[in-house]
Amino acid sequence: MAGWLSNRALGLLAGALFVGACGRAQAAGAPIVLQVDVSKAPAQNVAFTRETIPVQPGKLVLYYPKWIPGQHQPVGPIANFAGLTIHSGNTILPWRREPRDLFAFDVDVPAGVSSIDVDATYLGATFGQYASSRLATPNILVITWDQNLLYPSTGTIANTIFKPSIVLPGDDWHFATALTGARRAGNVVSFDDVSLEHLIDSPLDAGINYKRWLLWHDGDASAYLNAFADTPAELDASDATVDHYKKLVKEMLATYGVRHWRNYNFLLTLSDAMPGEGIEHHESSDDGTGGDYLTDLASLDRGGDLLSHEFNHSWDGKYRMPAGLYRPNLQIAYDDSLLWVYEGMTQFYGNVMSWRDGIRKADTYPDHVAALYAYYDNQPGRRWRSLGDTATSGPFIYMAPRGYGAERRGEDFYSESELMWLEADSIIRQKTGDKASLDTFARAFFGGGENTGPIVVTYDRADVIAGLNAVVAYDWAGFFHTWVDDIAIHPPDGFTADGWKLVYTGKPSHWVPASNFWYSLGFAANDGMVTDVRQGSPAWNASLGIATTIVAVDGRSYSTDALVAALDEAAKTHAPVALLVRHGDVYRTISLGYYGGPRYPHLERLEKTSDRLSEVVKPRA
Ligand SMILES: [Zn+2]
């Protein structure tokens, strides 16, 4: 987005305004017929596309979707889009990829031709790639339609209409999607005509092992949890677990007051083979996690905000969308600079809801806040990079290497923004005598006052500031200048005014395990392999680097317990800890003159203050 485009009217009307106002290449009224055949996906991880596109003679440009909503990046998996053959009847039409726009294909449509056929193959099973490239396990498949289609350059996402269908692997495969009008004949399922905008916003999950729970309904409106798993046992969720998700819907509706979906479908894959995922859509979400998520309480607690985060986006992200993310087609670059609202406030509510719905126990919230604050307060990269710049950098920062992440900074517009919105909540509570909170703003700004279908209302930064000022007058412009635009050496600490203080103790917390040595020696490691070193820390000063393996501690094999014991001992004796490390084929011993013992962050109550923090996560429904 060049400048802060405010386009409320366009957003409000987009669904109705553009439908039928067809571009030249697509004949008026004739949809693109799209069939995606995933019958071979479980065994071979490929999907076959057949499209019939109405055209007019002359030069035609077909696009493969590049900028993918919810991903915030140009990650359409074009390297996996293969087998492209374009023909008119038996006549093959040659295509050429545009050298300066690799997602565009030029075709000359001969005189007298009114429709062309496009065949293509999507290659899944691309190991090690970003999760959006996933397709299938032997038992589960996920169709994200944007991976399996081309569309004419002349259309918009709103006025390009598709008639989609899918060929499933067999009659015994179940499916779920937000697409409407499903008609099944054997293993072929066809759906109502739908705009490109809503097609790519409506992924389809299918599988052999399937369970569906009704979470909520009111008249014709409903919310369902659909789960697909590699084994039937992974679907054995207890009633208590399902009740948390019933509560989630109630809590969300209590917060926002209204909804902008007709029927909401959580599409949850449970698999240790398929990569995890969490992609928001207006009337569904594409949620993927490990096989034991619904059956192991520790897994549920750890990933307790997965569904609430994506559900929250139906209001914050899909209904209210930054103008710079609402583009006429899928090739135009996003302006990610308001992701501290879209993702940041969703990170706040996704987590808050995981406590309000009861998945997480109330007494673990303060240490969650402590873990966030401590990480950002010990992040060297914040001396050069603002929070706002991490959001603006969204198109490359998601894919950035993980090594030295604390110096580079990462997707901090999620979790650091959570701290910022907690501070905003605290300010609103203080200034209104606890009569209002961030919920008041959320309800007005992301609720909007009346139930609607999946429409988009765009906003800009000035709208957010005006919305907050409507709740309580404050220098919100200055607030965001301080926390978003400026270098902020310390992150926002709204918890202090909420009655808590940060402390470090030798005891791990619910969220910061014993194996985390970031706040003591100053490094992060996976199974001994160092992934990050905090500049200025004892580990940094001893020349420890990433891609180095810690082999031994004080002459014994490396383990978390061994290093914790060595730190305890060093605190008593003031003798340095010796680490034997290997980098490539070179071994060396480094000496760490650190005597502060293990350190883990916690929040403790400030005496004689009221506890606002606990109010934040109290149920509303
Ligand atoms: Zn999100």
Side-chain angles (χ1 to χ4, degrees), residues 280 309-310 313 343 346 414:
E280 64 275 19
H309 179 107
E310 306 309 339
H313 275 315
E343 292 296 356
T346 292
Y414 286 76

Side-chain angles (χ1 to χ4, degrees), residues 580-604:
L580 175 64
V581 302
R582 191 185 75 233
H583 187 196
D585 60 359
V586 175
Y587 288 76
R588 65 194 167 100
T589 298
I590 61 174
S591 176
L592 295 157
Y594 165 80
Y595 311 114
R599 285 177 90 233
Y600 306 99
H602 300 268
L603 285 196
E604 278 182 1

Side-chain angles (χ1 to χ4, degrees), residues 297-315:
L297 289 179
S299 293
L300 187 67
D301 175 73
R302 204 164 39 245
D305 64 322
L306 173 63
L307 270 62
S308 49
H309 179 107
E310 306 309 339
F311 192 30
N312 189 73
H313 275 315
S314 183
W315 289 266

Side-chain angles (χ1 to χ4, degrees), residues 315-375:
W315 289 266
D316 177 353
K318 291 297 176 179
Y319 168 57
R320 295 307 304 269
M321 187 183 291
L325 294 179
Y326 198 51
R327 300 304 207 197
N329 70 31
L330 303 167
Q331 317 309 118
I332 302 172
Y334 290 154
D335 176 343
D336 278 353
S337 57
L338 277 180
L339 285 184
W340 49 272
V341 184
Y342 179 125
E343 292 296 356
M345 212 163 145
T346 292
Q347 189 71 10
F348 175 83
Y349 273 110
N351 274 315
V352 161
M353 291 296 168
S354 72
W355 272 277
R356 289 186 189 170
D357 67 22
I359 286 178
R360 289 169 171 164
K361 302 287 168 277
D363 62 358
T364 64
Y365 185 60
D367 276 355
H368 163 77
V369 175
L372 293 182
Y373 185 87
Y375 176 74

Side-chain angles (χ1 to χ4, degrees), residues 136-481:
T137 74
N139 311 290
I140 306 169
L141 62 87
V142 176
I143 292 301
T144 45
W145 300 92
D146 49 86
Q147 296 179 352
N148 300 284
L149 61 82
L150 297 178
Y151 70 100
S153 66
T154 45
T156 68
I157 53 171
N159 75 3
T160 303
I161 306 300
F162 280 82
K163 182 185 285 298
S165 63
I166 188 152
V167 182
L168 292 169
D171 294 356
D172 55 343
W173 278 65
H174 307 275
F175 71 93
T177 176
L179 289 176
T180 59
R183 297 170 297 279
R184 182 166 191 160
N187 62 337
V188 179
V189 189
S190 51
F191 299 94
D192 288 344
D193 290 3
V194 63
S195 67
L196 176 59
E197 178 177 11
H198 289 137
L199 178 66
I200 63 166
D201 196 40
S202 306
L204 181 148
D205 283 15
I208 295 174
N209 306 306
Y210 171 59
K211 243 184 193 172
R212 179 179 219 214
W213 293 273
L214 175 65
L215 300 178
W216 174 91
H217 73 101
D218 179 18
D220 291 341
S222 61
Y224 283 94
L225 171 58
N226 302 274
F228 297 85
D230 276 328
T231 69
E234 289 164 344
L235 295 169
D236 283 340
S238 69
D239 290 347
T241 293
V242 175
D243 283 348
H244 291 313
Y245 288 113
K246 291 180 178 172
K247 182 101 164 81
L248 169 62
V249 181
K250 285 189 190 142
E251 287 293 335
M252 213 65 105
L253 290 170
T255 298
Y256 290 112
V258 296
R259 58 188 157 73
H260 304 287
W261 41 267
R262 300 157 295 188
N263 297 291
Y264 191 92
N265 280 280
F266 292 100
L267 306 174
L268 176 64
T269 61
L270 304 165
S271 173
D272 296 329
M274 183 175 268
E277 185 59 284
I279 294 289
E280 64 275 19
H281 300 284
H282 220 131
E283 297 187 295
S284 64
S285 50
D286 177 7
D287 309 306
T289 185
D292 66 355
Y293 182 73
L294 288 183
T295 52
D296 178 79
L297 289 179
S299 293
L300 187 67
D301 175 73
R302 204 164 39 245
D305 64 322
L306 173 63
L307 270 62
S308 49
H309 179 107
E310 306 309 339
F311 192 30
N312 189 73
H313 275 315
S314 183
W315 289 266
D316 177 353
K318 291 297 176 179
Y319 168 57
R320 295 307 304 269
M321 187 183 291
L325 294 179
Y326 198 51
R327 300 304 207 197
N329 70 31
L330 303 167
Q331 317 309 118
I332 302 172
Y334 290 154
D335 176 343
D336 278 353
S337 57
L338 277 180
L339 285 184
W340 49 272
V341 184
Y342 179 125
E343 292 296 356
M345 212 163 145
T346 292
Q347 189 71 10
F348 175 83
Y349 273 110
N351 274 315
V352 161
M353 291 296 168
S354 72
W355 272 277
R356 289 186 189 170
D357 67 22
I359 286 178
R360 289 169 171 164
K361 302 287 168 277
D363 62 358
T364 64
Y365 185 60
D367 276 355
H368 163 77
V369 175
L372 293 182
Y373 185 87
Y375 176 74
Y376 289 111
D377 202 36
N378 288 278
Q379 183 195 43
R382 55 191 311 111
R383 85 186 183 287
W384 73 270
R385 183 172 227 167
S386 67
L387 175 64
D389 187 62
T390 69
T392 302
S393 303
F396 69 78
I397 212 140
Y398 284 94
M399 308 294 259
R402 299 285 127 173
Y404 289 129
E407 171 67 8
R408 176 184 297 107
R409 304 201 68 178
E411 303 101 324
D412 297 347
F413 46 93
Y414 286 76
S415 292
E416 186 176 336
S417 300
E418 183 178 345
L419 290 172
M420 181 177 74
W421 290 112
L422 182 65
E423 168 118 349
D425 177 80
S426 181
I427 290 168
I428 295 170
R429 287 174 194 266
Q430 291 168 57
K431 297 210 165 292
T432 62
D434 293 302
K435 288 190 174 58
S437 69
L438 192 63
D439 283 9
T440 317
F441 167 73
R443 189 182 183 93
F445 196 80
F446 297 108
E450 61 178 331
N451 291 327
T452 73
I455 61 169
V456 177
V457 182
T458 60
Y459 66 84
D460 61 18
R461 181 174 177 139
D463 296 325
V464 176
I465 292 169
L468 284 161
N469 273 312
V471 175
V472 65
Y474 183 71
D475 180 16
W476 293 109
F479 178 83
F480 294 127
H481 197 64

